[in-house]
Amino acid sequence: DAGITQSPRHKVTETGTPVTLRCHQTENHRYMYWYRQDPGHGLRLIHYSYGVKDTDKGEVSDGYSVSRSKTEDFLLTLESATSSQTSVYFCAISDPGTSDYNEQFFGPGTRLTVL
Amino acid sequence: LAKTTQPISMDSYEGQEVNITCSHNNIATNDYITWYQQFPSQGPRFIIQGYKTKVTNEVASLFIPADRKSSTLSLPRVSLSDTAVYYCLVALDSNYQLIWGAGTKLIIKP
């Protein structure tokens, strides 16, 4: 399995508090992604990064920010958590130049509950 | 605007071939289609990817007709362990937009 870890794996927080989720990879892949997964919606892209300090918005980026200061780390911050951000968050990585396929490798997920 | 549509759920029996179809309108020649498998409490895992016609690997086949308005994931001789959610993904080459389907929950019965 690709070396991707997410921390924390579970978190319960209160509305209005800031939350930061961390994704760490040991594969030196160029692209990193943050998704949220909710019942009935499948995977929805929040933000992605195509290199250190290079990030772009996905389809559900409102209320989220990201940072990538090193190749191996991609941070997702909920600036002021709301109950609608209760979800399972997945990090993924990819590197088209290293494979015949542009496949994404996913982390184990972080379950976030906002009360 | 590209969109992907797949059935919400399907069921089948062990040993059968299962075909899951994803509809995706307005995709261009260089846009590729990928299928992922997800088990409960895990992240999705890559199954197969293609641009056109047919691709086969050790676990599945992917059929893409000439008009490229749909694609079909084919799982030969399924077993109980193939019970999972299967996602179709279209990646747009023009702007790198990723269009995920909502997933098909496949249940395999003994």
Side-chain angles (χ1 to χ4, degrees):
Chain A
D1 288 345
I4 311 168
T5 57
Q6 293 184 231
S7 58
R9 295 292 313 280
H10 302 272
K11 186 170 182 68
V12 179
T13 191
E14 294 187 348
T15 298
T17 60
V19 175
T20 296
L21 308 183
R22 180 184 184 232
C23 177
H24 179 77
Q25 60 145 328
T26 58
E27 306 295 323
N28 201 36
H29 278 19
R30 179 182 170 197
Y31 285 81
M32 298 185 76
Y33 313 80
W34 276 108
Y35 291 93
R36 60 177 291 174
Q37 186 172 46
D38 306 288
H41 289 280
L43 289 155
R44 291 185 290 176
L45 183 65
I46 304 171
H47 282 280
Y48 69 98
S49 168
Y50 46 95
V52 173
K53 295 193 167 82
D54 292 324
T55 65
D56 206 349
K57 296 179 180 180
E59 64 177 297
V60 291
S61 59
D62 287 348
Y64 302 94
S65 62
V66 290
S67 66
R68 191 167 178 202
S69 58
K70 298 185 290 185
T71 299
E72 57 266 35
D73 290 324
F74 194 32
L75 304 180
L76 176 70
T77 297
L78 288 64
E79 293 137 10
S80 177
T82 67
S83 58
S84 64
Q85 293 175 311
T86 292
S87 186
V88 178
Y89 291 85
F90 285 101
C91 173
I93 65 174
S94 73
D95 200 324
T98 60
S99 157
D100 290 338
Y101 303 105
N102 187 13
E103 64 200 276
Q104 294 183 42
F105 300 93
F106 284 81
T110 294
R111 184 173 295 275
L112 176 67
T113 302
V114 184
L115 301 176
Chain B
L1 186 63
K3 180 181 176 182
T4 56
T5 304
Q6 50 184 128
I8 295 172
S9 64
M10 297 178 65
D11 56 24
S12 186
Y13 293 89
E14 282 190 294
Q16 299 296 303
E17 178 183 79
V18 171
N19 296 311
I20 306 174
T21 296
C22 176
S23 299
H24 30 73
N25 56 349
N26 297 323
I27 70 170
T29 304
N30 291 332
D31 298 338
Y32 57 90
I33 298 135
T34 312
W35 283 83
Y36 288 82
Q37 176 191 55
Q38 186 179 28
F39 296 112
S41 301
Q42 295 184 21
R45 185 174 64 178
F46 172 88
I47 302 174
I48 198 166
Q49 186 179 92
Y51 289 85
K52 57 183 179 180
T53 60
K54 178 182 175 182
V55 178
T56 297
N57 62 23
E58 62 274 10
V59 298
S61 294
L62 176 60
F63 299 93
I64 304 169
D67 65 10
R68 303 183 79 240
K69 292 185 177 181
S70 66
S71 61
T72 298
L73 171 71
S74 181
L75 304 173
R77 299 179 299 282
V78 293
S79 64
L80 296 177
S81 63
D82 292 315
T83 293
V85 178
Y86 292 82
Y87 289 95
C88 165
L89 166 66
V90 172
L92 304 185
D93 184 66
S94 58
N95 58 8
Y96 201 61
Q97 188 178 5
L98 301 173
I99 315 292
W100 288 85
T104 298
K105 185 172 184 178
L106 175 64
I107 298 173
I108 304 302
K109 303 174 184 178

Short mmCIF file of all heavy atoms in Angstrom, two decimals, chain A residues 101 103, chain B residues 45-49 55-62 73-78 82:
data_model
loop_
_atom_site.label_atom_id
_atom_site.label_comp_id
_atom_site.label_asym_id
_atom_site.label_seq_id
_atom_site.Cartn_x
_atom_site.Cartn_y
_atom_site.Cartn_z
N TYR A 101 -0.72 4.68 -15.29
CA TYR A 101 -2.05 5.21 -15.05
C TYR A 101 -1.96 6.40 -14.12
O TYR A 101 -1.10 6.45 -13.26
CB TYR A 101 -2.93 4.14 -14.39
CG TYR A 101 -3.04 2.88 -15.19
CD1 TYR A 101 -2.34 1.74 -14.81
CD2 TYR A 101 -3.82 2.82 -16.33
CE1 TYR A 101 -2.43 0.58 -15.55
CE2 TYR A 101 -3.92 1.66 -17.07
CZ TYR A 101 -3.22 0.55 -16.68
OH TYR A 101 -3.31 -0.60 -17.41
N GLU A 103 -3.46 7.07 -11.40
CA GLU A 103 -4.33 6.59 -10.34
C GLU A 103 -4.05 7.36 -9.06
O GLU A 103 -2.95 7.82 -8.81
CB GLU A 103 -4.08 5.10 -10.11
CG GLU A 103 -2.68 4.79 -9.63
CD GLU A 103 -2.28 3.36 -9.86
OE1 GLU A 103 -2.63 2.51 -9.00
OE2 GLU A 103 -1.64 3.10 -10.89
N ARG B 45 -9.90 2.28 -3.75
CA ARG B 45 -8.71 1.64 -4.31
C ARG B 45 -8.90 1.51 -5.81
O ARG B 45 -9.95 1.09 -6.29
CB ARG B 45 -8.52 0.27 -3.66
CG ARG B 45 -7.26 -0.46 -4.05
CD ARG B 45 -7.11 -1.72 -3.24
NE ARG B 45 -8.17 -2.67 -3.51
CZ ARG B 45 -8.25 -3.87 -2.95
NH1 ARG B 45 -7.33 -4.26 -2.09
NH2 ARG B 45 -9.25 -4.68 -3.25
N PHE B 46 -7.87 1.83 -6.57
CA PHE B 46 -7.89 1.79 -8.02
C PHE B 46 -8.17 0.38 -8.53
O PHE B 46 -7.62 -0.60 -8.03
CB PHE B 46 -6.52 2.26 -8.54
CG PHE B 46 -6.29 2.10 -10.01
CD1 PHE B 46 -6.67 3.11 -10.88
CD2 PHE B 46 -5.69 0.96 -10.54
CE1 PHE B 46 -6.43 2.99 -12.24
CE2 PHE B 46 -5.47 0.83 -11.88
CZ PHE B 46 -5.84 1.85 -12.75
N ILE B 47 -9.07 0.30 -9.55
CA ILE B 47 -9.32 -0.99 -10.19
C ILE B 47 -8.77 -0.99 -11.61
O ILE B 47 -7.97 -1.84 -11.99
CB ILE B 47 -10.83 -1.30 -10.26
CG1 ILE B 47 -11.47 -1.32 -8.88
CG2 ILE B 47 -11.05 -2.64 -10.97
CD1 ILE B 47 -13.00 -1.48 -8.95
N ILE B 48 -9.22 -0.02 -12.42
CA ILE B 48 -8.88 -0.04 -13.83
C ILE B 48 -9.08 1.34 -14.43
O ILE B 48 -9.85 2.15 -13.90
CB ILE B 48 -9.75 -1.11 -14.56
CG1 ILE B 48 -9.16 -1.49 -15.92
CG2 ILE B 48 -11.20 -0.66 -14.67
CD1 ILE B 48 -9.77 -2.76 -16.50
N GLN B 49 -8.40 1.61 -15.56
CA GLN B 49 -8.49 2.91 -16.21
C GLN B 49 -8.36 2.74 -17.71
O GLN B 49 -7.63 1.86 -18.18
CB GLN B 49 -7.36 3.82 -15.71
CG GLN B 49 -7.39 5.26 -16.19
CD GLN B 49 -6.23 6.04 -15.60
OE1 GLN B 49 -5.15 6.15 -16.19
NE2 GLN B 49 -6.44 6.58 -14.41
N VAL B 55 -10.12 -2.37 -22.04
CA VAL B 55 -8.92 -2.56 -21.23
C VAL B 55 -9.20 -3.73 -20.29
O VAL B 55 -10.30 -3.82 -19.75
CB VAL B 55 -8.58 -1.29 -20.41
CG1 VAL B 55 -7.36 -1.53 -19.55
CG2 VAL B 55 -8.38 -0.11 -21.34
N THR B 56 -8.22 -4.58 -20.12
CA THR B 56 -8.39 -5.71 -19.21
C THR B 56 -7.16 -5.84 -18.32
O THR B 56 -6.04 -5.68 -18.79
CB THR B 56 -8.60 -7.02 -20.00
OG1 THR B 56 -9.80 -6.91 -20.75
CG2 THR B 56 -8.73 -8.21 -19.07
N ASN B 57 -7.40 -6.10 -17.04
CA ASN B 57 -6.29 -6.45 -16.15
C ASN B 57 -6.66 -7.72 -15.39
O ASN B 57 -7.63 -8.40 -15.74
CB ASN B 57 -5.91 -5.29 -15.24
CG ASN B 57 -7.03 -4.85 -14.31
OD1 ASN B 57 -7.94 -5.64 -14.01
ND2 ASN B 57 -6.97 -3.62 -13.86
N GLU B 58 -5.95 -8.02 -14.35
CA GLU B 58 -6.14 -9.30 -13.68
C GLU B 58 -7.43 -9.36 -12.87
O GLU B 58 -7.86 -10.44 -12.46
CB GLU B 58 -4.94 -9.61 -12.77
CG GLU B 58 -4.72 -8.60 -11.66
CD GLU B 58 -3.89 -7.40 -12.08
OE1 GLU B 58 -3.65 -7.23 -13.29
OE2 GLU B 58 -3.49 -6.63 -11.20
N VAL B 59 -8.08 -8.23 -12.64
CA VAL B 59 -9.29 -8.26 -11.81
C VAL B 59 -10.54 -7.81 -12.53
O VAL B 59 -11.66 -8.11 -12.08
CB VAL B 59 -9.11 -7.42 -10.53
CG1 VAL B 59 -8.00 -7.98 -9.67
CG2 VAL B 59 -8.87 -5.96 -10.86
N ALA B 60 -10.43 -7.07 -13.63
CA ALA B 60 -11.61 -6.49 -14.26
C ALA B 60 -11.33 -6.15 -15.71
O ALA B 60 -10.20 -6.17 -16.18
CB ALA B 60 -12.02 -5.22 -13.50
N SER B 61 -12.43 -5.82 -16.40
CA SER B 61 -12.35 -5.28 -17.75
C SER B 61 -13.13 -3.98 -17.79
O SER B 61 -14.09 -3.80 -17.03
CB SER B 61 -12.92 -6.25 -18.78
OG SER B 61 -12.13 -7.42 -18.87
N LEU B 62 -12.73 -3.11 -18.67
CA LEU B 62 -13.41 -1.83 -18.86
C LEU B 62 -13.73 -1.69 -20.34
O LEU B 62 -12.84 -1.77 -21.19
CB LEU B 62 -12.50 -0.69 -18.40
CG LEU B 62 -13.01 0.74 -18.61
CD1 LEU B 62 -14.32 0.97 -17.86
CD2 LEU B 62 -11.96 1.74 -18.14
N LEU B 73 -17.81 -1.29 -16.30
CA LEU B 73 -16.86 -2.08 -15.53
C LEU B 73 -17.40 -3.50 -15.47
O LEU B 73 -18.56 -3.71 -15.07
CB LEU B 73 -16.72 -1.53 -14.11
CG LEU B 73 -15.93 -2.37 -13.12
CD1 LEU B 73 -14.44 -2.33 -13.48
CD2 LEU B 73 -16.15 -1.88 -11.70
N SER B 74 -16.58 -4.47 -15.85
CA SER B 74 -17.00 -5.86 -15.83
C SER B 74 -16.14 -6.64 -14.84
O SER B 74 -14.92 -6.65 -14.94
CB SER B 74 -16.89 -6.48 -17.22
OG SER B 74 -17.31 -7.82 -17.21
N LEU B 75 -16.81 -7.27 -13.88
CA LEU B 75 -16.12 -8.10 -12.88
C LEU B 75 -16.47 -9.55 -13.17
O LEU B 75 -17.62 -9.97 -13.03
CB LEU B 75 -16.58 -7.72 -11.48
CG LEU B 75 -16.41 -6.25 -11.08
CD1 LEU B 75 -17.07 -5.99 -9.73
CD2 LEU B 75 -14.95 -5.88 -11.03
N PRO B 76 -15.50 -10.36 -13.58
CA PRO B 76 -15.80 -11.75 -13.91
C PRO B 76 -15.87 -12.62 -12.66
O PRO B 76 -15.10 -12.43 -11.72
CB PRO B 76 -14.59 -12.16 -14.77
CG PRO B 76 -13.49 -11.31 -14.25
CD PRO B 76 -14.10 -10.01 -13.80
N ARG B 77 -16.83 -13.51 -12.61
CA ARG B 77 -16.91 -14.51 -11.55
C ARG B 77 -16.72 -13.91 -10.16
O ARG B 77 -15.75 -14.18 -9.46
CB ARG B 77 -15.88 -15.62 -11.79
CG ARG B 77 -16.10 -16.37 -13.09
CD ARG B 77 -15.04 -17.45 -13.27
NE ARG B 77 -13.70 -16.90 -13.32
CZ ARG B 77 -13.16 -16.31 -14.37
NH1 ARG B 77 -13.87 -16.19 -15.49
NH2 ARG B 77 -11.93 -15.84 -14.33
N VAL B 78 -17.67 -13.08 -9.77
CA VAL B 78 -17.55 -12.37 -8.49
C VAL B 78 -17.64 -13.35 -7.32
O VAL B 78 -18.22 -14.43 -7.39
CB VAL B 78 -18.62 -11.28 -8.36
CG1 VAL B 78 -18.37 -10.18 -9.37
CG2 VAL B 78 -20.02 -11.85 -8.49
N ASP B 82 -16.18 -9.31 -3.19
CA ASP B 82 -16.36 -8.20 -4.14
C ASP B 82 -17.48 -7.27 -3.71
O ASP B 82 -17.74 -6.26 -4.37
CB ASP B 82 -16.65 -8.74 -5.54
CG ASP B 82 -15.44 -9.43 -6.15
OD1 ASP B 82 -14.32 -8.88 -6.04
OD2 ASP B 82 -15.60 -10.53 -6.73
#
